[in-house]
Amino acid sequence: MLEKEEEDQQANFQSTVESSSLPKSNDTQDSAVEEIQDNHDKLDNITPNIVINDDESSEETRPTVPELIINGETVIDNTPPTPIPSDNSHIADDDDFNSAFDKDHADFQGSIIDHYKNKNILMTGVTGFIGKAILWKLIQALRQDIGTIYILIRSGSMKRSKIGRPSERLSNEVFNNKAFLILRRMVGKEIFDTIVAEKIVPISGDLISPDLSMSESDREKIIENVNIVIHCAATLNYNERLDLALETNTLGTLRMMDLADECKYMESFIHMSLAYTNPNITDGHIQERVYPMQVGDPEELLKEIVELELQDIPKMTQRILAHYPNTYTFTKSLTEHLILKRVDLNRIEEAQGGKKQWPIAIIRATQVGAGAYEPLPGWVDGVTGANGLIFLMGKGVQVLQPEMSQMLADIVPVDYLVRVVLGSAVFMVQPGYRFLLPYNEVLKEDTDSNSINIPHVQYFPYIYQVSATGFDETSWYQIYDAVRSYWLRNTKLTLPTAEEYFVANRSLFKAKFFMKYSLPQSLSSALTGSKAGGADANSLNRTLELASRVVDAAQPFLRHHWAFDHPNVKQIEHDMLNDTQFNLVRFKHMDWYTYIVNFSFGVHSYIMPSPPLGLRNITVPEGWACSLYLHPGAGQHSIIDRQIESVVFSASDIQKRTDRMLAELVLSLEKPGQELKDKKKIEEWINDFDASLDDWCHDDSNLLRNKDSMSHLGHWLNPSESHEEHIRIEVLNDRRVGQSIRQIIETSGVPQNTVVGEALKILQRMKERTQLPYIWSAGAFLNALFKRLFTSVRINELDIAKLKEQILDKNVVYVPVSKTIIDQLLVWYICLRYNLPVPAIVCDEALALLGPVSDILRIAGAFFVRRDLTSRSPLNTAVAAAYTEVLLKEHGALSMVIERARSRTGRLQTAYHDGLMNMIIDGTLGHNQQHPSSPVNEKREDETQQLSPMPTPTESFSSLPTTTRQETVLVPVNITYEKIPELRTLIDQVLDQKPRNLTATSSFLRPSATLADRAATKENGAFEKGKYGRVFVGFGQVIDVKQTVQEAKLPENNTKRLSTISVKEDDTIADYVARKVQRGQHEAAVVSPVTLVAATLLFGRVTGGITMSKISRHVSWLREELLEKKIKIDWQSDEDLSTIVAYSLNLLDARNNVTMDGKRITDQTMVRVVEHADNVMDLSYMASQLIEIFLPEALFSVVYLSNNVKQTTKPDLFAQFTFLVQLFKHEFIYPWSRVEKFNLLLDWFVKKKLITLNEEGQYTKTVTIENNETEYTRVCLLASFIYPTLDAYWITSCSLSALRDLPFMPRKIVPVLSQWIAAHLITGRRTIYREVLSTEASQNAVDNFLAIGFIEAVHPKTKLSPDAQILLLELGVTTNEDLVMVSNRKDIEKEELPSDIHEGESILSKLEDIASLCHEIEKYRYVTDNVNLRHNAQVFDKCQSQIRSILRADQSYATQHGMKLDRDEDQMIQLVYSLKAASSTPISSDDGFGKHSRRVSQAYNLKSS
């Protein structure tokens, strides 16, 4: 029976061949046997993922459902990897994306588009890689002008129902692809959906059937309408049985040509062929010709194969494989020959008056790779062409031989190929019958291959050889290096270097090679050694097998040194030169490194089974650069990117030493103080540090000999031998130092030499002491450190270019926002990397005692200034000012911060006026450097004592005349971190969680676990490289110091010079300059999407959680608003929402900071923030950047939501807005005008129809959650940025109710009291915001209450008895810290508002006391219901009662210590003691031992509400 079926199959096969091999097709329809059908499941799909022989496993070859991997834990997502877009699709509609892709109307004009307008096209192979790309380009370029595109696609039978109907296959396999989802956003959802519904027509058919298995109606539609045929379908089973491969690749093509012959309006036929068919062709030029088949005559071969019995096919196959590597390449070659035979017959027919021959193009491509630009950079689909090669390289499988390292890597981007394919149909002409068939010609030696073409003679069919021959060349060595770069940076995989990969002596090296990197030595070992489990392992194994077959099939061709001639492609390139949509020139000089990195990302994302959600590419957007990983084309820095050579240590020893140093420094960042406890570690650090410096000072590689490119290093480049002496002389000859010395002598009678000696000691402690080898040692170490901490440090190339131009021949002072200890080191590194003037770093003296960090600061050129004004003597100030001016003049570059300390909230802080900015201003104006004849050494009329002459500086180092002094500019710098190493330390500080053993007098709480503890990886807690994400460095507009000082002095700027906070008269100019710097810092911000997700998660607390779909919608909307504000955001146009959200959740430590319902993540999964103070503060810090940007909108939204009255007026709205601005003036930086911003916001709310204006000038709030949930929720989202801070201020004002019973209390204790009150209010559900436990907000609230006059500060010595002062000292409150007391509001002047806005009094001026302020703040708070509103109105009084309860004691603290104080002092001391005792009570642990609480909520016996 079986033999009978085989005979029937052979008979059907022979009849098919006979009918299809003729120039004209007959209508004979032979039914295909089941065996052929079963072996051609994916016949028209180029993607080898679904080209298999086993029916039952066809679905399993697809990548499985992606997983959401959060901090190492896998949460399965049951949604499709790329869902069909709907109205609430995870792919956002945004202006940035549209601006990136929307072209001017002129961009959609040209000869190609004009040709294809309203043309009807028949396509095959659309479910494959190339077919998808062609269809994508047609829709993208033509849009509404596209004609009907008929897609020949096989329908699944009932037996193979997994395939589905043609329309279902198109939907699932094509339009569900990410490239088409992005395209839908590009052209607009409505337009795209209309095109798909009306212009894309699936036709059920099958190439293996003699009549293509098409219905009569479908066939008639094609015959009547089709103009162009693009035939891409083929079977990519390289080892397919000979007869089956012939059926699809050869006979299928002939059947398509038969159908094209029937089309009434046929214009052109495009056949996708293969450049790699015959490996026996000798090296050299490959002509755009058809080479002879060494197996025999094509037609005879076809007939011979058809006549074979089934049992004879293996023998014929062996004969063919003697000349061709597989049946696929053989059938492709045979097809080309048969097309030429067919054309020759058609020519005879046309010459005899028959039908004219339509143009035919044979497109030969070498190895087709990922898209370079379209549809998306790095887009791939299936393990085809070069995709399998890149995939296996990334898995560590050796696929290239050593001798191939410097050979040309012939990879063709699929978008380049697509443009050639579509362009070929445009420029081909009907050949007539006078043409030459393009058979190859044998050339003599030294004959130019271009000379084979006879002028003015038509060669037909047209052959287009698409290869990388015409591109800027790249080698396989460079290709592998780029692949390795991607996998090293974006995964934990370790791959060998290119030198090791292409090692010549493979036999000796192999064992060591694979042992070192734990790589598979063969495909079989890769399969058996897969770490994945279950379905993932099976899917990975199948992908590896497919890739291996693809690479094996290409191996015989890769070793050849072929140059593919391409005159026809060159002609197309010339013809399309002015076509913006199809121009080919940009590919000629393509950046291969970026292309291959994108290619690797595409392989990782689209081919790798179960790629992790949140996977983002490492390539930077156009116009940006990564400072850590320079582009190879830019030339790596010859010093900091190279490992130093040592006469003592080997390269391996140096690497181990560097790793130890990195580990120690990272520990000092994450757990400050911990590294100082282990003396062995300290000694090890010192030894390693010294050894490293010694290696750089005695470098055998002579890296530091060439100083031509080191001019940006200032005076470190060529310091003179007398440099130190010159510095001392310059400082001592400074007028300020002289005046300070004179004042000390006059007031204390100390000898001049003693005072001068003290000045020199101050200078010695302060000054920088680095040298050239140390600079480069610091640069190399910081390069390694930042690579360990961050995935990338990104910077705008235009910013660098503009900055270099603006600071040319000027002194420069970089002013970064103070967020971490490493801010200034990062700026210093950027300057060293990009040849900007490298600054000497101005640091607080406290930074000189931080162990490893301090050591790096010193060798980077830091000098240490005492910034605390209370402990800095006038002489110290004078020496610091003089030294700063000298260094600015001689070195030319400084770096400093204008804040007091690191931001513990992540936001900009008010400037701290410690004199640093004044020093810069004075150094710029330059009136303080004196010569011996100047007044500092002359007796003045009012002086009673003359100083001895100061040393005289040499002429070469003396002060320059004022007229030639270089100008000084300030450079605002804003550094955006996605996560910072010190975050846990900062949170412990704002929650007042300090270890007892460090500060016994003020340590109440045990610090919470560090981020390093939380994020420890599975590899025994090893440090995770790049776990702090990305960093973005933005430069603001350069500020000319002299010009800005002149601006500040202008009369019209008097009001502008007034700060929102009170400053000394001497600091008004410096404050004006500082605020201008902060405006520049604000404008230089780059937003990470992590902050959007963090803010959205915190917003979800209002409703007890937020669904994933709402997170996506809110994040998408916030992005749109940022883009509208022209603010840079790290969100590339090809990144979808699900990727961004998953990436952000990983960086936000979602496993610890949030909870998710269920095991699988869907759109309806509820996400809740873990309601503990430290978890909330984690997210709050991350979200803080968004508060700065949307601060005015947030304030106005709070006003909007607080208005319960139906109508209000503009003056009332402005008064409320002004109240909030003034309330938070110590909390936030306002780089905008209050009046202007209010008017803009009012117009914006009217435009959004959130409020309406009637004829009487009354404003009405029109949007509620009932009538417009979307807009109302967005207003609530904006207001949520401020509500936690508003609650903190409300609670602080409640805590000040203590001043009703106490005349005064220590200012330092108010935040602790507020924290205590906040803990009880959280328990009582009076607030939902854990941020109120932060002492930072309470301290700022106290500062504001002092500034607006509700409380005032007095010195303890003026109010307290000595005994009370002693008791406060015992409790950790020093006598230098102020007391606060109630202020007399009657003495506060009313605020003056602009008359055109409001002529009445401000809200603040109407408030009488702190209680009225508390009640006023209460009006703006978020309250869930009216019951809470009534209860909250009584909170101030209840807090007073609660405070009274802790003042009552059987025996007061003072009495216990035998001191008798008056009642007020006694109760104040009792309050301080009670708060200390309440917050330091040990909590019993499970092991029976007492321990300090981990969280604030535990300290105050709180439970999560």
Side-chain angles (χ1 to χ4, degrees), residues 482-543:
V483 171
R484 178 178 181 270
S485 176
Y486 171 82
W487 291 99
L488 285 181
R489 289 178 55 190
N490 223 20
T491 68
K492 296 180 181 179
L493 186 64
T494 301
L495 295 176
T497 64
E499 290 85 355
E500 293 169 329
Y501 189 87
F502 291 103
V503 67
N505 194 344
R506 186 63 59 92
S507 59
L508 295 177
F509 181 74
K510 195 171 184 179
K512 181 179 178 182
F513 176 86
F514 289 103
M515 289 177 64
K516 179 178 180 181
Y517 295 102
S518 302
L519 299 177
Q521 298 188 43
S522 63
L523 179 64
S524 59
S525 61
L527 297 177
T528 57
S530 174
K531 294 182 180 179
D536 285 349
N538 294 332
S539 181
L540 177 60
N541 290 343
R542 280 191 294 273
T543 306

Side-chain angles (χ1 to χ4, degrees), residues 843-914:
C843 295
D844 194 325
E845 277 188 349
L847 296 182
L849 305 174
L850 296 181
V853 177
S854 302
D855 292 336
I856 300 301
L857 281 169
R858 285 190 180 93
I859 65 172
F863 68 98
F864 300 93
V865 177
R866 184 173 298 175
R867 299 194 63 188
D868 185 359
L869 289 173
T870 61
S871 63
R872 192 171 74 199
S873 66
L875 181 60
N876 194 309
T877 300
V879 171
Y883 181 66
T884 301
E885 180 172 343
V886 171
L887 203 55
L888 182 62
K889 179 183 66 175
E890 300 299 333
H891 183 63
L894 298 178
S895 171
M896 70 176 193
V897 295
I898 55 178
E899 300 90 345
R900 174 68 183 270
R902 290 171 292 173
S903 173
R904 294 186 289 181
T905 60
R907 300 193 300 265
L908 291 176
Q909 306 172 87
T910 54
Y912 175 60
H913 293 293
D914 59 346

